[in-house]
Amino acid sequence: MKAAVLNAFDAPLDIQCLPDPVLGTGEVVVDVAAAPVASYSVNVFNGSRNYPLELPLIPGPGGIGRVRATGPDATRLRPGDWVFVDSTIRSRDNIASPEQILLGWTYRTPAALPLHRYFHHGSFAEQMLVPTENATPIGHIAPSDAGRWTALGRLLVPFGGLLAGGLQAGETLVVNGGTGGFGGAGVAVALAMGAGRVVVTGRNHGTLEDLARRHGGRVRIVRFSGDEARDRKSICDAADGPIDMVLDFLPREASAAQVRAAALAVKLGGRVILMGGLRGGAGDLGLNYNWLMHNETTVRGVWMYSRDAIPRMVQMVRAGLIDLGQFELAEFGLDSTNEAVAYAAANAGPRQLTVLRPDGYSGGHAKKLS
């Protein structure tokens, strides 16, 4: 098979011909039709993100494809089925506290290294090997739509946070840091789940205005000023009532003050879900113990999503609650992987979706389909 291989950090990916994956029990081989290219891929590949991974590696966390072959223990999956490949692989020998990796992307702890070494290669290839439970059927789709269906991976991350926080219909949600890919997707998912009002914060005024324009009157926007007290007041004014929940997707470059501006605005018994990327000193939030206790606030970190969220999201798309047409799609052939990585970095945002097509659909050049 043909694949894009990362042989060394800060070096271009190399297009190589490698042996096809070898199928085992409890596994599935998938013919990859479309693989998402994250806007920060360039930072993973040059090593600046410091993601733990062993090289050489075929990168690519998940995607859309068709089942090529299943192990002898598969009961429902059949060759030819269209599937979403979930990149979150969990160890099977410790159900209470499983080790986790992101396929073709990173492993979380040294204990997860055996998983990373076995399920090593990701979706920047014509084929990939995954655990059976990581291939979720999505029903029939036209091959031309496979790239757009990779948006499931972006939508599922905030969906996992919203499910963990127990978002209920009619509630008011703050998406803190809503101008990035996951934050913007979180706005769409929250509205599909019935949120009564969604307050979106961020620094990019143009992107904020675009979110409000596309999603209508239930969305209000707040541009960060950098002053914590002022920003909190702006969030409360935009909510125009009690704030039930905060979904935080602030990036690495943000400050703890930006987190607190939203977190300390929740009502009595409110929930704060942390899914962002603050690092180092900025990750010390400085939340007041006495306030948290008396306000009965739940603060919870969430990483990715539960496996049962995937078929639920597929149902939401099939029902028309989530419109995959909201994304601006650019597709590249496998031979143009390095071009795709550069394009994704230069075109980040909540509506942009950069996709590799190992099935050759795009003919090796960028192709806007929306």
Side-chain angles (χ1 to χ4, degrees):
M1 68 172 183
K2 184 188 290 186
V5 181
L6 181 65
N7 289 301
F9 291 117
D10 208 17
L13 278 74
D14 186 29
I15 309 302
Q16 300 179 12
C17 286
L18 300 176
D20 292 348
V22 177
L23 183 68
T25 301
E27 298 166 2
V28 176
V29 175
V30 175
D31 287 324
V32 182
V37 183
S39 61
Y40 59 91
S41 295
V42 63
N43 303 113
V44 176
F45 301 157
N46 66 22
S48 63
R49 280 228 165 195
N50 296 316
Y51 276 13
L53 49 86
E54 289 192 340
L55 305 181
L57 172 88
I58 301 172
I64 300 294
R66 304 187 79 168
V67 174
R68 169 178 282 262
T70 64
D73 55 338
T75 61
R76 296 291 182 90
L77 285 177
R78 297 288 184 269
D81 286 350
W82 283 99
V83 293
F84 168 75
V85 176
D86 178 19
S87 63
T88 309
I89 297 179
R90 300 169 175 88
S91 61
R92 295 163 168 167
D93 55 352
N94 187 350
I95 295 175
S97 183
E99 301 298 332
Q100 300 181 78
I101 68 168
L102 292 182
L103 179 65
W105 211 237
T106 189
Y107 60 96
R108 294 190 62 196
T109 65
L113 194 53
L115 270 182
H116 176 64
R117 287 173 173 167
Y118 185 78
F119 292 108
H120 192 57
H121 296 306
S123 56
F124 288 13
E126 292 178 324
Q127 298 177 34
M128 62 192 306
L129 178 74
V130 298
T132 304
E133 62 269 25
N134 282 66
T136 300
I138 61 173
H140 177 75
I141 64 172
S144 58
D145 289 337
R148 201 169 293 285
W149 275 84
T150 64
L152 287 179
R154 183 175 297 184
L155 294 161
L156 279 163
V157 174
F159 189 40
L162 294 169
L163 290 175
L167 181 70
Q168 301 296 311
E171 288 191 322
T172 294
L173 171 75
V174 176
V175 179
N176 204 26
T179 56
F182 291 129
V187 176
V189 174
L191 293 172
M193 294 174 68
R197 177 160 295 173
V198 179
V199 178
V200 190
T201 73
R203 290 191 178 276
N204 189 318
H205 190 60
T207 302
L208 289 170
E209 288 188 325
D210 180 63
L211 284 166
R213 183 170 53 253
R214 287 190 295 112
H215 291 298
R218 284 191 289 161
V219 172
R220 303 289 176 86
I221 59 175
V222 172
R223 185 180 184 183
F224 277 131
S225 69
D227 181 284
E228 181 180 337
R230 179 181 172 184
D231 288 339
R232 184 175 303 114
K233 183 179 185 307
S234 296
I235 291 169
C236 292
D237 289 346
D240 193 27
I243 294 170
D244 300 283
M245 180 175 164
V246 171
L247 179 65
D248 188 281
F249 271 111
L250 286 170
R252 293 183 172 214
E253 301 77 17
S255 69
Q258 289 171 283
V259 179
R260 289 195 302 268
L264 299 182
V266 297
K267 71 173 189 178
L268 180 71
R271 296 96 71 197
V272 179
I273 303 298
L274 304 176
M275 300 191 78
L278 268 68
R279 294 293 188 273
D284 184 1
L285 300 183
L287 294 173
N288 183 273
Y289 182 110
N290 191 55
W291 182 88
L292 288 171
M293 185 269 291
H294 281 98
N295 202 57
E296 300 180 10
T297 302
T298 298
V299 180
R300 177 176 175 180
V302 177
W303 191 72
M304 303 303 285
Y305 44 86
S306 60
R307 188 166 289 124
D308 64 355
I310 302 171
R312 294 174 67 178
M313 177 55 65
V314 172
Q315 286 180 315
M316 292 172 73
V317 173
R318 293 291 187 185
L321 296 172
I322 297 285
D323 179 14
L324 299 183
Q326 69 185 279
F327 296 99
E328 295 182 356
L329 185 64
E331 296 186 311
F332 294 78
L334 194 57
D335 289 334
S336 300
T337 298
N338 290 301
E339 183 183 353
V341 170
Y343 184 92
N347 294 272
R351 296 184 65 186
Q352 281 66 44
L353 195 65
T354 304
V355 175
L356 280 183
R357 294 299 300 255
D359 62 353
Y361 174 76
S362 70
H365 59 85
K367 183 174 182 179
K368 289 289 187 71
L369 298 180
S370 58

